Amino acid sequence: MAALPVVTGPQWAGVRYFCTTRAGGVGVAPHDTLNLGMRAGDRPEAVAENRRRVRAMVPAEPLWLRQVHGARVVDADAPHEDEPAADACVTAVRDRPLAIMVADCLPVLIAEAGGRALGAAHAGWRGLAGGVLENTLRALRAKCPDAAGWQAWIGPGIGPDAFEVGQDVLDAYAADGAEATALFRPRPGHPGKWLADLPALAALRLRRAGVDMVHRSGLCTVADPARFFSYRRDGQTGRMAMLAWLTAAGPGEYPH
């Protein structure tokens, strides 16, 4: 089987990661075709086949989470329940893939600069405001207290021209100060509505938490229906996944 089409970011020593697209699977509309979400309304046998195809691209079975838009972090290296209810996971063990599912929310990867630990987080506006990225970094620091530094990649998600929000979302970030609230633009002709820059809010929180280098994919899931699932755009739809793991090898080529 040919490699699935994926999206990746900067190549880092000791780390491999990619985000799937909607292409390369067996699903039919509205889950066409590589839906990886078991709770998205798709046929279980289609999701199982799609996950099998993704499994063939990684060194072991990924840790799949039951994401709840919260801020809990699971240690993938410690005993844990099957498909734990959490929105982030961390590891310091080689060849242990972490998985985060998305369809507008942000997949965020945080890695130690020396490739000794990594974390993956699902960051929607609720989880982001609730501290999921800070909690992930805290768990990583516990695993790697002598870290050489931290770097992050923010994968495809809803972009600043598509994420319309109300007063509740603006209020959730008020405590972050003027630098955060400046990332909300009033939507002309829609009183009480703003366009929020979720990737920029995530980058701000990462920098404030001590991440030295933050990279953004710049890809909007809503604006690219050919490549990405989008819950905001389509309602019933599939889920992509970011997969990430540590490796002994240096930077290398990713499948496309």
Side-chain angles (χ1 to χ4, degrees):
M1 185 187 71
L4 299 172
V6 300
V7 172
T8 64
Q11 296 182 13
W12 296 333
V15 178
R16 293 287 183 274
Y17 66 98
F18 61 84
C19 185
T20 62
T21 69
R22 68 184 301 164
V26 299
V28 297
H31 303 97
D32 45 329
T33 58
L34 193 74
N35 169 44
L36 299 170
M38 284 291 190
R39 296 173 179 82
D42 199 358
R43 295 174 298 123
E45 61 271 22
V47 179
E49 171 59 20
N50 289 340
R51 288 192 176 191
R52 187 193 68 79
R53 295 184 182 196
V54 170
R55 168 64 183 86
M57 297 174 65
V58 299
E61 181 64 29
L63 172 57
W64 299 98
L65 304 177
R66 180 164 56 87
Q67 297 167 190
V68 295
H69 296 277
R72 181 190 175 206
V73 181
V74 171
D75 185 347
D77 306 334
H80 53 77
E81 64 270 37
D82 290 337
E83 200 174 6
D87 285 87
C89 43
V90 296
T91 185
V93 175
R94 290 175 182 170
D95 294 333
R96 180 163 289 165
L98 310 180
I100 294 294
M101 286 186 295
V102 290
D104 284 336
C105 294
L106 304 173
V108 181
L109 172 68
I110 306 174
E112 193 268 335
R116 292 181 293 166
L118 66 81
H122 164 247
W125 75 262
R126 288 183 182 86
L128 186 61
V132 68
L133 298 184
E134 291 87 346
N135 289 354
T136 304
L137 191 58
R138 188 176 300 113
L140 286 169
R141 285 180 168 135
K143 283 189 169 293
C144 195
D146 60 340
W150 299 99
Q151 52 199 358
W153 181 68
I154 301 171
I158 192 167
D161 294 325
F163 191 30
E164 180 187 286
V165 302
Q167 186 69 44
D168 56 335
V169 181
L170 180 61
D171 290 345
Y173 290 90
D176 289 354
E179 194 174 0
T181 55
L183 298 173
F184 291 76
R185 294 179 288 134
R187 186 175 180 191
H190 294 76
K193 298 293 184 182
W194 288 265
L195 292 172
D197 191 337
L198 192 64
L201 287 166
L204 175 62
R205 282 193 164 238
L206 287 165
R207 289 194 299 269
R208 287 181 173 178
V211 176
D212 308 286
M213 189 172 297
V214 179
H215 304 270
R216 287 186 253 175
S217 73
L219 299 172
C220 175
T221 47
V222 179
D224 194 347
R227 269 206 295 181
F228 300 123
F229 295 118
S230 167
Y231 183 81
R232 176 66 66 102
R233 183 189 64 230
D234 298 328
Q236 188 176 18
T237 191
R239 301 293 185 271
M240 288 106 38
M242 180 181 73
L243 285 297
W245 66 99
L246 297 171
T247 177
E253 292 300 316
Y254 294 91
H256 286 84

